[in-house]
Amino acid sequence: MVSLQLNAVEARYGRKVVYAEASTPEIAGGRLTALVGANAAGKSTLFRRIAGQLAGKGEVRFVGAGLHDLRYMPQDTGMTAALSVYESVILALKQGRGGWRMGAGELAAVDEILAGLKITALSGRPLSELSGGQRQLVSIAQTLVSRPRIVLMDEPTSALDLYRQYEVLEYLRLYAADTGSVTILALHDLNQVMRACTMTIAVAEGRIVAAGPTLETLRPELIRQLYGIEARVETCSRGCPMMIVDRAVREG
Amino acid sequence: MTSLADLQVPAETGHHPYRRLVLRRILILAGLSLLLALSVAVDVSLGPARYALGEVVATLLQPAQAEAQMRMVVWEIRMPMALMAVTVGACLSLAGAQMQTILANPLASPFTLGISAAASFGAALAMVLGVALVPTALALMVPINAFAMAMVAALLIFALSTMRGVTVETIVLLGIALVFTFNALLALLQYFASEQALAAVVFWTMGSLTKATWTKVAVTALILVIVTPLFARRAWALTAIRLGETRAAAMGVPVRRLRLETLVLVSALAAVPVSFVGTIGFIGIVGPHIARLLLGEDQRFFLPGSILAGALILSATSVLSKAILPGAVLPIGIITALVGVPFFATLIFTHGRRQW
């Protein structure tokens, strides 16, 4: 089984230290883990540190996987390259593997991920013509096509409509279960987090302020600390926990 | 519970259109190669003495059986010029292609970054003041000066790029600053130059293939032969960088290192041809754009495509420079821009609106 753990990890940009000593319990593979926190709380920084893009002391411990099994999906940005969707997914598969020839297995992997995310119809479309939501789906395909064992995704559903949000989270849940991979998603919608993610890590101002099973972790006090809002966790008529926001308590 | 396998629709469509796309691109590359061969043959057939295309091809294929004078003209005078057009066009276009790639800027080329302006200044130093930047034989003073100054400009850009926190925009801005600086220095030299030296400088900056020799062709070709495989090995990383720095880094591309390596290769690729033939400005921008429009930016096709497009444009321009005024060879740098611009504009307005 794949797992990931941070032990007193430092993350910095040049001399600017963002995380001094970030530690987590062991994050197990096979299920979804959420990374939550306000804007600019340091979610992307933590991802980049785990992905090996930032320097710092401390230990990022992978069990059953290495850095080469890791794929990180950054937040959505425009893609202007003159490539089709299909080519961009091939690129994501081949970068790091090398070789100019495409094996039948490699093409099958690309077909499979596009079909899985139901975007086969976009195959021939130029990247520059995609809508924000389509671009996000293509990004997800790029991230998963090599079947990485550690997956870090920065707001993978932020540009998707409700139907797609549900579908993608379901797909990611199945992906994690199927591959046993450690899959961490930075998400803003806490109801999504409660439904889809077994474990939650919360960050604020460059510190990991809580980490554990989602329902135990997402308490009203923590929500208030993270986002400056007053919220309740209630149980809906079908027995699912859901979060209701009452008011903002932080000024500005 | 469902699993991933149950979700998956049989993968029916995706890779068939892709296979067709790959085939089409291979055919386009083959077509460009064919046109290039044809253009070179026509180029060789043109000149003060006009030969029939058939004769030229026969002389090229079986030199031993050709008439001595024709063999001399074709092999010793016209072939070096025709092949110089091919190698210079290829080098400049490839240099422009990779500059545009790493700097994410459609206007980047050896010329917008000041490399050719620096070369012109170096050449003018030799022609006006007789200053040799590197001690050398008199005959080589102009090209070696040009090369040395081009490398100075490239080194400045390189040094800046290694600094922390420098963005691609900063690099492009520095390049523009270098263009203006070297142009001003060049103007200063011209102001004090003798009439003869001034004429030589002006002619040099117009760009010309007439001084081509087999040695120059060989040196330019050698640079291309050394650099192309180095880019080919980095094909996927260079394609990835066009998805944006963050995405490329997330795919495991060492973005900074790749950018620096590319800058070094591109500098050599641009400095050598410029020092031999002077300023031929348009190829470095247009060659890559044509390749991009025809083939997209998968470097497996874009890389050979840029080389072929640049070679073809300069070779075709060389043909035109001889054909427009019979008996005279117009400076090729002028023709490239005059003929290239309308052609380029047509391409952009017909199907290039989406890129960049």
Side-chain angles (χ1 to χ4, degrees):
Chain A
M1 189 57 123
V2 184
S3 75
L4 166 69
Q5 187 169 14
L6 306 187
N7 293 324
V9 165
E10 180 196 57
R12 55 187 163 81
Y13 293 93
R15 275 188 221 130
K16 188 183 156 220
V17 175
V18 180
Y19 285 87
E21 275 201 336
S23 297
T24 64
E26 187 173 46
I27 304 164
R31 56 198 199 173
L32 298 183
T33 300
L35 178 64
V36 300
N39 292 333
K43 300 189 292 292
S44 305
T45 306
L46 194 63
F47 273 165
R48 295 189 59 193
R49 176 66 180 88
I50 298 172
Q53 290 184 14
L54 295 178
K57 293 188 286 257
E59 182 200 23
V60 177
R61 196 162 69 91
F62 300 106
V63 176
L67 210 50
H68 61 281
D69 297 315
L70 180 148
R71 281 291 176 278
Y72 161 48
M73 175 179 141
Q75 261 183 62
D76 182 50
T77 47
M79 290 192 274
T80 53
L83 294 172
S84 70
V85 166
Y86 200 88
E87 288 178 291
S88 78
V89 180
I90 284 181
L91 164 65
L93 182 65
K94 294 293 272 183
Q95 156 54 29
R97 281 194 190 182
W100 279 28
R101 287 191 73 86
M102 292 295 299
E106 291 174 320
L107 287 177
V110 176
D111 286 341
E112 198 176 299
I113 188 72
L114 292 177
L117 290 164
K118 300 186 182 164
I119 50 173
T120 303
L122 295 181
S123 295
R125 290 272 288 278
L127 289 180
S128 52
E129 286 182 4
L130 301 180
S131 73
Q134 289 171 331
R135 207 161 55 223
Q136 199 156 37
L137 290 166
V138 172
S139 281
I140 296 169
Q142 290 171 353
T143 310
L144 298 182
V145 66
S146 55
R147 290 182 84 79
R149 312 202 69 191
I150 312 267
V151 181
L152 312 173
M153 291 184 156
D154 213 336
E155 300 189 24
T157 59
S158 60
L160 303 179
D161 61 41
L162 282 175
Y163 170 80
R164 289 292 199 174
Q165 286 185 19
Y166 177 84
E167 284 242 313
V168 162
L169 280 177
E170 185 58 16
Y171 185 83
L172 292 175
R173 199 177 62 73
L174 292 175
Y175 175 86
D178 218 49
T179 57
S181 64
V182 170
T183 308
I184 310 180
L185 314 176
L187 293 172
H188 275 305
D189 184 337
L190 296 181
N191 280 314
Q192 273 183 359
V193 172
M194 287 195 291
R195 284 187 88 107
C197 302
T198 320
M199 186 177 171
T200 294
I201 301 165
V203 296
E205 291 162 5
R207 280 187 317 117
I208 292 181
V209 290
T214 297
L215 293 181
E216 289 168 30
T217 308
L218 288 181
R219 312 298 303 174
E221 311 78 61
L222 180 73
I223 309 285
R224 189 183 172 115
Q225 182 191 351
L226 292 181
Y227 298 102
I229 54 168
E230 217 168 82
R232 295 167 274 148
V233 178
E234 307 264 331
T235 307
C236 81
S237 58
R238 294 192 182 171
C240 291
M242 57 181 297
M243 172 151 313
I244 296 160
V245 177
D246 290 317
R247 63 190 186 102
V249 290
R250 185 181 54 190
E251 301 219 339
Chain B
M1 192 177 120
T2 40
S3 86
L4 210 53
D6 303 328
L7 265 188
Q8 273 140 27
V9 192
E12 73 295 5
T13 46
H15 73 267
H16 296 299
Y18 176 71
R19 291 259 192 229
R20 277 199 298 279
L21 188 73
V22 168
L23 187 67
R24 204 181 77 200
R25 287 180 177 166
I26 291 173
L27 289 176
I28 289 175
L29 287 175
L32 285 174
S33 311
L34 206 67
L35 281 175
L36 179 61
L38 192 69
S39 172
V40 169
V42 174
D43 196 4
V44 174
S45 76
L46 289 178
R50 299 208 168 187
Y51 300 123
L53 204 54
E55 286 179 291
V56 170
V57 173
T59 313
L60 288 177
L61 295 179
Q62 293 169 311
Q65 287 164 23
E67 186 196 328
Q69 189 215 348
M70 180 158 176
R71 189 169 61 222
M72 169 69 190
V73 170
V74 166
W75 277 98
E76 297 307 317
I77 301 171
R78 294 192 186 171
M79 265 308 262
M81 261 180 81
L83 292 184
M84 197 67 189
V86 170
T87 51
V88 167
C91 281
L92 292 179
S93 179
L94 180 57
Q98 304 305 28
M99 280 191 167
Q100 290 169 13
T101 300
I102 57 164
L103 297 177
N105 190 318
L107 293 176
S109 83
F111 300 84
T112 39
L113 286 196
I115 293 178
S116 77
S120 297
F121 174 65
L125 271 181
M127 289 184 277
V128 176
L129 302 179
V131 172
L133 295 172
V134 183
T136 171
L138 204 61
L140 289 176
M141 203 158 89
V142 171
I144 291 210
N145 259 16
F147 181 77
M149 280 317 283
M151 287 318 275
V152 167
L155 275 177
L156 271 173
I157 292 170
F158 182 81
L160 178 89
S161 319
T162 54
M163 283 156 65
R164 194 167 273 287
V166 168
T167 62
V168 291
E169 287 82 5
T170 328
I171 299 175
V172 172
L173 283 175
L174 176 81
I176 293 171
L178 285 181
V179 171
F180 281 101
T181 310
F182 282 114
N183 278 345
L185 289 171
L186 180 65
L188 194 67
L189 276 182
Q190 287 176 325
Y191 184 75
F192 290 112
S194 70
E195 227 163 88
Q196 257 179 325
L198 183 63
V201 171
V202 168
F203 186 74
W204 196 90
T205 52
M206 284 176 184
S208 168
L209 296 171
T210 46
K211 287 185 182 143
T213 62
W214 278 112
T215 320
K216 290 178 184 175
V217 171
V219 172
T220 322
L222 186 70
I223 291 289
L224 198 63
V225 168
I226 293 172
V227 169
T228 307
L230 296 174
F231 280 137
R233 269 180 50 197
R234 294 161 172 78
W236 293 111
L238 285 164
T239 313
I241 214 170
R242 285 288 298 119
L243 293 179
E245 254 177 69
T246 334
R247 271 175 213 276
M251 287 181 184
V253 176
V255 175
R256 260 173 76 83
R257 203 181 74 207
L258 181 69
R259 189 170 285 144
L260 291 179
E261 287 168 352
T262 305
L263 216 46
V264 172
L265 296 178
V266 159
S267 306
L269 212 48
V272 169
V274 170
S275 56
F276 286 149
V277 302
T279 313
I280 299 179
F282 197 56
I283 308 286
I285 289 188
V286 168
H289 278 280
I290 289 177
R292 192 178 290 116
L293 289 172
L294 291 174
L295 298 156
E297 281 186 293
D298 179 337
Q299 290 262 343
R300 292 176 299 163
F301 306 103
F302 181 55
L303 180 69
S306 302
I307 292 176
L308 285 171
L312 179 59
I313 298 168
L314 201 56
S315 178
T317 313
S318 169
V319 169
L320 277 176
S321 72
K322 293 178 191 172
I324 291 176
L325 280 182
V329 182
L330 295 173
I332 196 161
I334 299 177
I335 311 290
T336 357
L338 285 183
V339 178
V341 171
F343 172 61
F344 183 48
T346 317
L347 255 185
I348 289 176
F349 284 113
T350 46
H351 61 304
R353 280 172 232 227
R354 333 183 179 112
Q355 275 102 42
W356 299 95

